Amino acid sequence: MKVSIVMGSISDKEIGDKVTKILDKFGVEYELRVISAHRTPHIAVEFAEKVEENGIEAIVAIAGKAAHLAGIIAGITPIPVIGIPVKSSTMDGLDSLLSVVQMPKGVPVATVAINGGENGGLLAVQILSLKYPELRQKFKEYKKKMSEEVIKMDKEIQS
């Protein structure tokens, strides 16, 4: 199982690190790349064309402003693409969100929250868990632990 995390700029690495932290927690192999849909479009296309050949099973694309990276990759590959819009200095990331979420019919991109690195990683794990039962079990345990933490906080507040 392998996930490719593609960032439109090295400035997106902080969000990419949130994705890798989640994937590490679940034992999912990944690669981290910087590929710009606008500044290196030929590399973006070549990457998308070779995803299957390279054994990639899910893609997390992180980009801001005119965030077309997830869309260009999704337009080429049949592999699931998760888009993470980045909060930029203009429009608080709304421009990025709309660029990722407003895809034309036939080119789906799963989109998580602006700067939502953790959820991007978790969604990649959920997608892979359809094929890898051990990941599904780890995900169930993760959700149970999360629930237990909230219950514990609730009990502490009520005390």
Side-chain angles (χ1 to χ4, degrees), residues 15 61-64 67 83-87 93 96-98 100 111-116:
I15 298 165
I62 306 166
I84 303 177
V86 175
K87 182 177 180 178
S96 305
L97 174 63
L98 294 174
V100 177
T111 308
V112 297
I114 296 169
N115 289 357

Side-chain angles (χ1 to χ4, degrees), residues 49-83:
E49 289 174 340
K50 293 185 177 181
V51 165
E52 283 183 283
E53 176 183 320
N54 291 331
I56 304 300
E57 296 178 283
I59 300 162
V60 177
I62 306 166
K65 297 186 179 177
H68 298 123
L69 184 59
I72 195 168
I73 293 170
I76 295 168
T77 184
I79 301 301
V81 177
I82 301 161

Side-chain angles (χ1 to χ4, degrees), residues 20-91:
T20 63
K21 186 176 179 182
I22 292 291
L23 297 179
D24 284 338
K25 179 181 275 195
F26 284 90
V28 174
E29 182 184 354
Y30 58 84
E31 66 176 11
L32 197 59
R33 304 275 313 265
V34 176
I35 301 172
S36 171
H38 303 106
R39 293 172 298 226
T40 59
H42 294 86
I43 294 172
V45 169
E46 180 182 4
F47 165 81
E49 289 174 340
K50 293 185 177 181
V51 165
E52 283 183 283
E53 176 183 320
N54 291 331
I56 304 300
E57 296 178 283
I59 300 162
V60 177
I62 306 166
K65 297 186 179 177
H68 298 123
L69 184 59
I72 195 168
I73 293 170
I76 295 168
T77 184
I79 301 301
V81 177
I82 301 161
I84 303 177
V86 175
K87 182 177 180 178
S88 58
S89 57
T90 49
M91 301 179 70

